[in-house]
Amino acid sequence: MKFEDIYQFFEDPPPIYLNKELAVCYVLAVLLQQDSYGTELIQVLAQKYTDYRLSDTVLYGALKFLEDEKAIDGYWKKVEGRGRPRRMYRLNPDWRLQSEELAELWERYMGKRCREVVFEADRVLASP
């Protein structure tokens, strides 16, 4: 390691991977808006929250948990522009209220994290 490596780390930090708890809240936030499938959930997160990533393992663990709890339902659907049918997920209507609460936790968490990152960047830039 060199000092240049440390500076490079802060200039271009590695992505932050969601844990299962955050993944559950994120999935519910998306499914409140529209049905989705696994790859799309991963891509949307990377596009909307550029510093964050979601691994296949954590995502599918979260989806299995939500299916086991009957919070979401899975079904197969042919997606336009894709070769084979995709396993789509939709919110169970009985879980809407709890999903809204968990989605709110997600939004607050991400809002707080984004504000912390901006604050830290401002503080670093302002220091002598």
Side-chain angles (χ1 to χ4, degrees):
M1 179 168 75
K2 301 177 211 156
F3 281 107
E4 291 82 22
D5 297 332
I6 296 169
Y7 288 111
Q8 182 61 39
F9 174 87
F10 285 99
E11 287 178 25
D12 188 23
I16 301 164
Y17 281 85
L18 299 187
N19 60 25
K20 190 173 177 181
E21 293 82 359
L22 287 171
V24 165
C25 295
Y26 164 70
V27 167
L28 291 172
V30 171
L31 296 182
L32 278 163
Q33 305 303 313
Q34 65 186 34
D35 293 3
S36 191
Y37 58 95
T39 305
E40 182 177 55
L41 289 164
I42 290 171
Q43 291 170 348
V44 168
L45 178 78
Q47 290 169 355
K48 188 170 181 181
Y49 303 97
T50 56
D51 294 336
Y52 291 84
R53 297 294 181 275
L54 182 54
S55 72
D56 291 348
T57 303
V58 171
L59 173 62
Y60 289 104
L63 290 169
K64 173 142 179 42
F65 168 78
L66 289 167
E67 279 189 298
D68 290 347
E69 293 295 316
K70 308 285 190 251
I72 64 172
D73 300 309
Y75 64 96
W76 292 98
K77 179 181 178 185
K78 176 83 168 106
V79 176
E80 190 173 324
R82 301 288 182 174
R84 59 183 173 82
R86 300 287 178 190
R87 179 81 171 156
M88 300 291 293
Y89 298 93
R90 70 175 147 233
L91 184 65
N92 180 330
D94 295 339
W95 274 76
R96 185 158 194 87
L97 183 59
Q98 189 168 6
S99 296
E100 288 171 351
E101 291 171 0
L102 292 168
E104 175 64 25
L105 290 176
W106 163 256
E107 294 296 333
R108 278 192 279 160
Y109 176 84
M110 291 308 288
K112 180 180 176 187
R113 294 286 300 169
C114 291
R115 285 190 302 277
E116 287 172 359
V117 167
V118 169
F119 174 76
E120 284 297 316
D122 289 345
R123 202 175 91 203
V124 168
L125 291 174
S127 64

